[in-house]
Amino acid sequence: MKSPMKSSLQFGTWLLFASLMGLPGMASAACSEYPTVKAEILRGPLVLQGRAIKEKVLQEDADDPYGVTATEFTIQVEAWFKGRSKRNRLIIRDENTSSRFAMDLHKSYLLFMQPDPQYPGQYYVDSCGNSNLMAESRTVLKIINNMKAAKTKKAGNLSSKTSGSP
């Protein structure tokens, strides 16, 4: 019969090991930095409002113990804030890692998108960035709108100076 002390020690050792190794579904992104809205707008080509309308689970690595390498989300573009594409549907590749930007189908998101260098024609979303559900993005949208207004005002000042107006 095991002593209660020994069982408790074994459980504690297992718990420490499990927390160091990470438990599936309990991981979160380890972000070394969180970009400002302005920085993220400047570095990325596309900022948009989009709805996740389709998801495709990818099983590309037979060695993956859970069998899921990534998820591809098809995004229906609802509004453009920066950049444009001829397509109104874009593909986001979401790697099955602790830094993934998980999405729910049929919900609308504010997305700061980067081209995926490994998968031409697809994009990714930085989970350490400012992308979020539209319902939770009021503050970020205000910053975006203020930046657009400032850019328009500056462009207006430049055009009035070049047109000969005072």
Side-chain angles (χ1 to χ4, degrees):
M1 181 166 130
K2 291 184 180 180
S3 73
M5 181 73 157
K6 188 172 183 180
S7 292
S8 178
L9 183 61
Q10 287 174 337
F11 178 76
T13 303
W14 176 86
L15 188 60
L16 175 63
F17 174 76
S19 67
L20 292 173
M21 295 305 293
L23 294 172
M26 295 182 68
S28 63
C31 301
S32 60
E33 66 177 67
Y34 295 89
T36 64
V37 174
K38 183 177 180 179
E40 197 166 18
I41 285 174
L42 293 174
R43 83 170 177 213
L46 299 178
V47 180
L48 58 95
Q49 177 181 342
R51 185 174 304 277
I53 60 170
K54 180 180 173 188
E55 80 181 308
K56 179 181 175 185
V57 174
L58 304 175
Q59 297 176 308
E60 304 161 318
D61 183 1
D63 295 332
D64 185 321
Y66 302 105
V68 177
T69 319
T71 303
E72 285 181 356
F73 287 97
T74 302
I75 303 300
Q76 176 69 47
V77 178
E78 297 174 324
W80 294 99
F81 298 106
K82 180 186 177 190
R84 288 216 184 262
S85 171
K86 292 179 182 178
R87 299 177 293 165
N88 61 357
R89 290 188 178 174
L90 303 171
I91 303 293
I92 292 178
R93 182 177 175 93
D94 196 25
E95 296 294 327
N96 189 19
T97 66
S98 63
S99 63
R100 70 179 177 258
F101 182 79
M103 289 187 273
D104 293 323
L105 287 178
H106 311 296
K107 291 193 176 179
S108 188
Y109 291 87
L110 174 62
L111 299 168
F112 292 77
M113 298 174 56
Q114 300 284 333
D116 193 321
Q118 294 181 336
Y119 301 94
Q122 294 185 2
Y123 296 85
Y124 72 93
V125 175
D126 181 357
S127 64
C128 296
N130 294 286
S131 296
N132 204 347
L133 286 165
M134 283 302 293
E136 298 175 13
S137 297
R138 278 186 206 169
T139 302
V140 175
L141 286 170
K142 280 183 183 179
I143 294 168
I144 291 171
N145 288 330
N146 288 341
M147 287 177 68
K148 287 173 93 174
K151 185 177 179 181
T152 301
K153 183 178 178 183
K154 186 176 180 181
N157 288 343
L158 289 175
S159 65
S160 67
K161 287 179 185 175
T162 58
S163 67
S165 301

